[in-house]
Amino acid sequence: LPPALRRCASVPSAPALRQQLARWVASNAQLRIADTPVSMWVKWDSGLSAQAYSSRMARSGWGGGVEMAACSHLMGVSVWVYERRRSGYERISCFDAPRAPGGGKRGTLHILYRGGVHYDAFLPDNAELHAALAAADARSPPKASGPLGSPASSRL
């Protein structure tokens, strides 16, 4: 995540980002995302309290949906997650930023989910991205809902 995030926000290092996200989760346990407190998303994902999870994640561990939601809120950047399909790529989750500190949104990170716990930066073709988003907007209702994120299904 840090190489992609560096395009949208100032992040000095992966350990610094890890610390910031862990602190955000601990400090925002009662914040509601999709009508559910962050503490419940953490509990469902890890079986831990937000405080215990944050303490563990500050030191080590693989990040996932909780960290993407935290990143979106903390950095004011939207995080869209894709998976490879036979016909291209499909957006499977959106963590849309509510605001950036001190102003508007800083952009969108595109992340490719490769299964298990592995994510990579993803640079979709701009024309394909806009066409897929327009097609997704035309469909009602969206076909998929990502963890912590808004309903999202767009094919690239």
Side-chain angles (χ1 to χ4, degrees), residues 116-134:
V117 293
H118 191 75
Y119 296 86
D120 286 322
F122 180 60
L123 299 172
D125 175 77
N126 229 12
E128 287 181 301
L129 176 63
H130 289 293
L133 294 176

Side-chain angles (χ1 to χ4, degrees), residues 40-129:
M40 288 306 298
W41 290 111
V42 168
K43 185 78 161 173
W44 293 331
D45 187 49
S46 67
L48 299 173
S49 70
Q51 197 64 38
Y53 180 82
S54 296
S55 178
R56 184 186 79 188
M57 287 304 290
R59 292 185 311 277
S60 68
W62 292 102
V66 170
E67 288 71 28
M68 288 184 209
C71 180
S72 177
H73 282 261
L74 180 65
M75 303 293 180
V77 61
S78 294
V79 181
W80 293 0
V81 183
Y82 301 83
E83 263 188 321
R84 178 89 170 125
R85 302 286 192 233
R86 269 191 231 147
S87 61
Y89 296 90
E90 182 176 0
R91 189 179 67 185
I92 59 170
S93 191
C94 294
F95 303 90
D96 284 327
R99 60 169 169 69
K105 292 182 185 179
R106 289 189 172 140
T108 301
L109 295 174
H110 301 277
I111 305 295
L112 181 62
Y113 175 64
R114 294 198 177 253
V117 293
H118 191 75
Y119 296 86
D120 286 322
F122 180 60
L123 299 172
D125 175 77
N126 229 12
E128 287 181 301
L129 176 63

